[in-house]
Structures are given as C-alpha cells and as structure tokens.
Amino acid sequence: MAQWLIPPNLHSEIEGGPLCPFHEHALGVKDGRIPRYADSHACVRCVSALTEGRLSLDVHRIHKTWRRRFLEFWSFVDIADQDECWEWRGKKHPRSDSTFFVIPRFWGTGRQYGAARVATWFTWGDIGRLPIKHTCGNNSCCNPLHIRVRGVPHYFLNRHLQALDLEFNSHKLLSETQVFLETTRDRDPKRFENITKTNRLWIEARLNSDGPIQMDGMLNAGIPAPSE
C-alpha cells in the first residue's frame, strides 16, 4: 500500500475536522470539530503528544464511538513484551500478505488500512495520512515502540518510564480485550461470528488464555508462526 508523500510545506495550515479517537482532544469543542492539519488530516493535539513521546493504550481515553473498534482491533494483536514484536493475527491480503483492518476515515473512500497504521492511531495518536516506518523491519508488527511517524520529530525523554507504563497497560489491555470478546460472544452472537471469521483459531486461543499467548500454544492450535 503506497504511503502518502510528505509535501515540502507540511502542516502549514490548520482547519476544522472531525473528532479524533482520543476523547480529551474534544474537550471544550462545541461544534463537533477539532483542529486538524489541512494536508495530512492529522489531529493537531495528537501530533503535539507524539512529539513529546506521549503514548497510550488506555481504552478509557478513547472516544465512546471508537471504543468497540479499538477493542476489536487489539483482540487480533499478539500483545507481547515491550521489546518484542506484536504480531498481527487479523486479516491479510491473500496476494501481498500485507495486513489490513477495516475502519473508515473521513478523508477518502478507502476503508482498509494497514494494521500498524491503525495501531499508531490508537496509541501515538490520530496522525492522519502521515507515513510510518518500523524500526524492527517487521511490517506485521503493531508494537507502538517499534513504529515511527515520518514528518514529525519524536522525543523519548522518559523512555524507561514509558516502557514500564506500556508493560502495565499492555497487560491491562489483554484483560479488556478478553472481556470484550466474552461479552460480544454472549450478547451479540452475530457480531462475534463476524469477528471469528477473520481468524477463528486465534480468537479461540485468546478466549482460552489468561495472558500473553505463547508461540508453542499457537502452533499447536494450527496458527502459523510469523515469517522471518
């Protein structure tokens, strides 16, 4: 999937745009629109948080209209330790083997976006169309510490504290996605059926696990290991 080309005068104009996934960025907004950069469509406040190295995996910081998609997305991520790759276990294009997650955005008609890009929207912030790159070289990785956003600087002044915070929140997110899957299975069987169509073996493994899923367990369940 081609990445958006950064213009020479990036972020020189700000305009009003739709709300972003982080609900606190809408505080004080009365017309339902927040400041966004006209070219990349990125949320101005999210870019500010990104440059300061502020990262979140907290569903309670996500706007209520995005929370179900947030939990569904992370249900398909193999959330591991902060230094490891977090493999995507959701949908992939059959020909290119590239990852994707269906989520509509306001700037175009496209509905399929790479898993790493969605992970960036839900952790570093709504960066719109800004291109991203992996420091690990694994394009299926959704670990936000392995993802960098091009076009804006990153500052990791509190990297150690950030890593500890990420470790705590990643274990918390595992529990939240577990509850989401169990609740959807019990209360909305049709939606749960659609979720399991993406990767039934992975969802079954997630529901039967009390924590991070070990690779041996996935292989025994018939889930292929990530390619080297």
Side-chain angles (χ1 to χ4, degrees):
M1 187 177 295
Q3 298 211 36
W4 181 67
L5 295 178
I6 299 176
N9 58 340
L10 179 68
H11 293 170
S12 59
E13 182 181 349
I14 295 176
E15 62 183 12
L19 300 180
C20 89
F22 291 85
H23 71 81
E24 70 264 31
H25 294 175
L27 294 177
V29 173
K30 296 181 179 180
D31 60 357
R33 297 175 69 79
I34 62 169
R36 287 184 177 272
Y37 291 110
D39 44 18
S40 68
H41 303 299
C43 168
V44 172
R45 294 181 182 180
C46 283
V47 171
S48 176
L50 170 66
T51 59
E52 296 173 7
R54 286 187 275 131
L55 172 67
S56 174
L57 278 174
D58 189 354
V59 67
H60 301 291
R61 293 190 62 202
I62 301 298
H63 194 279
K64 62 182 180 180
T65 59
W66 290 77
R67 286 178 185 171
R68 188 181 66 197
R69 302 297 285 152
F70 175 91
L71 291 170
E72 182 179 336
F73 172 81
W74 290 110
S75 297
F76 286 105
V77 176
D78 183 9
I79 301 172
D81 291 337
Q82 64 263 26
D83 294 327
E84 298 177 337
C85 287
W86 296 5
E87 293 291 335
W88 173 247
R89 301 298 177 188
K91 293 180 179 179
K92 290 188 175 182
H93 290 287
R95 293 185 179 181
S96 63
D97 200 41
S98 59
T99 67
F100 74 93
F101 184 72
V102 177
I103 183 169
R105 298 310 312 268
F106 67 92
W107 57 77
T109 58
R111 295 174 57 88
Q112 296 182 2
Y113 294 94
R117 173 164 295 279
V118 180
T120 305
W121 288 335
F122 283 148
T123 54
W124 289 115
D126 190 355
I127 60 159
R129 298 192 295 175
L130 285 172
I132 63 174
K133 64 177 180 179
H134 283 88
T135 59
C136 58
N138 178 6
N139 291 333
S140 295
C141 175
C142 294
N143 183 341
L145 291 182
H146 291 185
I147 299 172
R148 298 290 181 271
V149 181
R150 291 174 173 169
V152 295
H154 297 73
Y155 297 102
F156 298 97
L157 301 180
N158 297 316
R159 174 63 184 270
H160 180 65
L161 292 176
Q162 180 191 78
L164 290 176
D165 185 57
L166 178 66
E167 183 176 14
F168 168 78
N169 281 292
S170 63
H171 284 283
K172 185 169 178 284
L173 183 59
L174 278 170
S175 298
E176 291 167 343
T177 53
Q178 188 89 355
V179 172
F180 164 74
L181 290 172
E182 292 172 351
T183 302
T184 305
R185 178 188 58 192
D186 297 339
R187 298 185 181 181
D188 194 347
K190 185 175 181 180
R191 177 170 295 278
F192 183 75
E193 181 182 355
N194 290 333
I195 292 175
T196 56
K197 285 180 181 178
T198 298
N199 189 334
R200 179 180 58 82
L201 291 175
W202 170 257
I203 294 300
E204 288 179 354
R206 281 288 290 113
L207 285 170
N208 294 323
S209 173
D210 294 328
I213 301 174
Q214 300 299 317
M215 182 59 67
D216 290 343
M218 289 193 295
L219 292 176
N220 291 336
I223 301 174
S227 57
E228 298 294 335

